[in-house]
Structures are given as structure tokens and as C-alpha cells.
Amino acid sequence: MLRYTLFRILGAIPTLLLVIALAFMMVRAAPGGPFDAEYIPSTEVEKNLRDAYGLDDPLPQQFLTYLSGLLRGDLGPSIRQTGYSVAELIGEALPYSFLLGATAMLLALLLGVGAGTVAALRQGSLLDRTITGLSLTGISIPVFVVAPVLVLLFAVKLQWLPAGWGSARGAATWVLPVVTLALPQLAYVARLMRASMIDVLSSDFVRTARAQGLGTATIVRVHALKPAMLPVISYLGPAVAGILTGSVVVEEVFGIPGLGEMFVRAALNRDYTLVLGVVVFYASLIVALNLVVDILYGVIDPRVRYR
């Protein structure tokens, strides 16, 4: 297991380098610059600012300078937010995105696994068709449609919940963002769990357990749940990374100062170092979570062995 883990970590290095290089080139290729919208009293001041951040250096030199900083664990200073480093800004925004994403994913897992299991046990029934239809609806409707509809219904019409971050503080502020972010994940988990559970329930070891007189609840809890969770765990790797770093749409609609909202502002302001810092953080999180998922395979299913 240790050898496999080290091999995966070494294999992730070229992937991270490619992601950093592509993000670096795309940010630099975008029209405009970080100081275009600012009042610059003279070209000399602008030149001094560009020299201070190395923006006039050749692109290969800028890229190598940035990589050398990453090797030291330095994401660099923010170009537009003077006095703040990229690591500090990510550290300030991460708790909001983490709380939003972790709560949404926990809700999606609890309801999705339960709904998918019930649908598999009642295969072909009205309840199964209802859960399948709702799951398909949750997957089909994009988040940027769900968020305004929930705000219009529960915040504007019924006035049960606050419409966004600026209107109130407290637990009620998180209800609409969490539900909006959880709905598509819940739908995916439910469909995956239903299909996997149906397959597991038709396995030989489950038929053997039934022949021994075990009840359905015992069979599901002891024998079927773990193997049925394997496809869900595979999906959770990139899904958890995406949901923990926050949804751009959800954070923008509800005004939550998380990573998604910060990334949008940084891209609009051409804050090169901040955009790259978020990309590096996000890519590293995906690699780490995918590695955790692969290791969990061996923990949940003893038949899985790493060579």
C-alpha cells in the first residue's frame, strides 16, 4: 500500500505541472491587465508596479519564477489586493466554502444513499419510479436555475429564509445555499446507489445469505451496503473536491465570500497570482482526494489489492 501511494503521488506531479502551465498561459493570454482599471498617475508608476511583480519579464522566466516559489510553498502576493498573500486570501475564503461544501455533501450522501437503497429494494414500484424521476430531474436542472427559483419561492414569496449572505447571519443563511448545492449531488448519488445495489442484491453471496434465513435489513446492512458503495466512492473523489471548494454559481447568487466567489473576482480583475493559487489548490485537492478514494477501495472491499 505504501509503495502504491508513493507511486500515485509521483505520478500526480506531471499532472499538476501541466495544469499549472495551462492555467498560467490562459491567464496571461486573456486581454487586459491587472492595472488597466486602476488610476495610474503616470506611466512611470505603472512601469514600477509591473517591474515589482515581474510582469514585464519574458513568460518563460515568469513561469520558472512562479514554479520556484511553489517549491518553497509560496503562492506569491496578490497583485490587486495589496498587502495580502495568496495563501492568506485562500485561508480566509476556504472556511466558508468548506462549511458550505461539507454540509451539502453530507446531506447528499445521507439522503442519496438512503433513497438509492430504498429504490433498489422496491425495484419497479411506484416509489422506485418516483425516486428515479426526481433524481433525473435533479441532474437535468442546472444549479443556476435552481438557486434563483429557491430564492424566489422561500425568500421572496414565503419569506421563510434569508435570500443571501448580506441579508442575515446565522444557520438560516446556509439553508438555501446548502440545499441548492446538494440537490444535483444527491441525485447522482441516488442513481449510482440504486444501480449498484440492484447489481449487488443479485449476487451469489446475497442469495446465499437469503437461503440462510437472514432478513432483508441484515443482508443490506452487513453484506450488500459496502460493495454497493464502491461506485459512489469513485464518484466522491472529484465531487468532494469540487463541492468543498465551493460552487461559483451558488456563492455568487447567495453572496458567500468563499473560494468560488473569490476566483471569479480574481479572474475579472486579472489578479494572476490569486487565480493561479486557487487553481493549484483545487488541482492538488482533486489529486489528494482521488488518492484517498483509491485507498478506501482496499479498506471497503478486501478483494481489491494494489500491485
Side-chain angles (χ1 to χ4, degrees):
M1 183 66 73
L2 179 60
R3 183 179 179 181
Y4 172 79
T5 303
L6 293 176
F7 178 78
R8 284 297 306 273
I9 292 174
L10 293 175
I13 294 177
T15 303
L16 289 176
L17 286 176
L18 180 61
V19 170
I20 294 170
L22 290 176
F24 186 89
M25 298 305 298
M26 291 176 65
V27 169
R28 294 302 197 279
F35 306 115
D36 288 355
E38 297 289 335
Y39 171 71
I40 303 299
S42 67
T43 56
E44 182 180 356
V45 173
E46 182 179 359
K47 183 178 183 304
N48 291 336
L49 287 171
R50 297 182 67 86
D51 289 341
Y53 291 103
L55 298 178
D56 287 331
D57 295 336
L59 280 181
Q61 182 178 343
Q62 293 185 42
F63 183 65
L64 291 177
T65 301
Y66 184 74
L67 283 182
S68 65
L70 286 181
L71 293 176
R72 299 190 305 269
D74 182 15
L75 295 175
S78 171
I79 296 177
R80 292 299 300 269
Q81 301 190 47
T82 308
Y84 289 92
S85 68
V86 173
E88 290 174 341
L89 293 174
I90 291 178
E92 291 179 0
L94 182 60
Y96 298 102
S97 294
F98 181 83
L99 179 59
L100 172 64
T103 308
M105 183 54 73
L106 180 62
L107 179 64
L109 275 178
L110 291 177
L111 297 182
V113 169
T117 301
V118 170
L121 293 174
R122 301 289 187 271
Q123 185 180 2
S125 66
L126 177 61
L127 180 60
D128 178 28
R129 291 195 293 269
T130 301
I131 293 175
T132 304
L134 291 176
S135 299
L136 183 61
T137 303
I139 295 173
S140 304
I141 301 178
V143 174
F144 62 81
V145 174
V146 175
V149 169
L150 291 181
V151 170
L152 180 64
L153 178 61
F154 292 101
V156 178
K157 296 293 185 181
L158 299 177
Q159 297 184 355
W160 289 353
L161 297 166
W165 185 259
S167 58
R169 291 291 189 273
T173 310
W174 295 94
V175 174
L176 289 181
V178 167
V179 171
T180 302
L181 195 57
L183 283 178
Q185 308 300 331
L186 191 160
Y188 279 113
V189 171
R191 288 180 65 85
L192 284 172
M193 192 65 190
R194 176 188 179 275
S196 180
M197 183 62 74
I198 289 175
D199 183 61
V200 170
L201 289 176
S202 63
S203 301
D204 292 338
F205 68 90
V206 172
R207 285 196 291 267
T208 302
R210 292 187 187 278
Q212 292 175 347
L214 296 180
T216 301
T218 302
I219 291 175
V220 171
R221 185 180 70 255
V222 177
H223 299 285
L225 188 59
K226 281 187 177 181
M229 284 290 294
L230 290 177
V232 177
I233 291 176
S234 296
Y235 169 74
L236 289 182
V240 169
I243 203 171
L244 287 184
T245 51
S247 168
V248 174
V249 174
V250 172
E251 292 184 1
E252 280 290 318
V253 170
F254 294 100
I256 299 174
L259 284 176
E261 193 268 348
M262 184 180 68
F263 182 79
V264 172
R265 301 301 177 197
L268 293 176
N269 293 331
R270 301 295 186 270
D271 195 339
Y272 299 147
T273 51
L274 185 54
V275 170
L276 288 172
V278 176
V279 170
V280 170
F281 175 79
Y282 182 73
S284 302
L285 190 60
I286 289 179
V287 170
L289 288 174
N290 282 332
L291 177 60
V292 171
V293 165
D294 288 344
I295 294 174
L296 284 177
Y297 258 93
V299 175
I300 293 179
D301 190 352
R303 296 172 299 176
V304 176
R305 292 293 181 267
Y306 300 105
R307 298 184 183 275

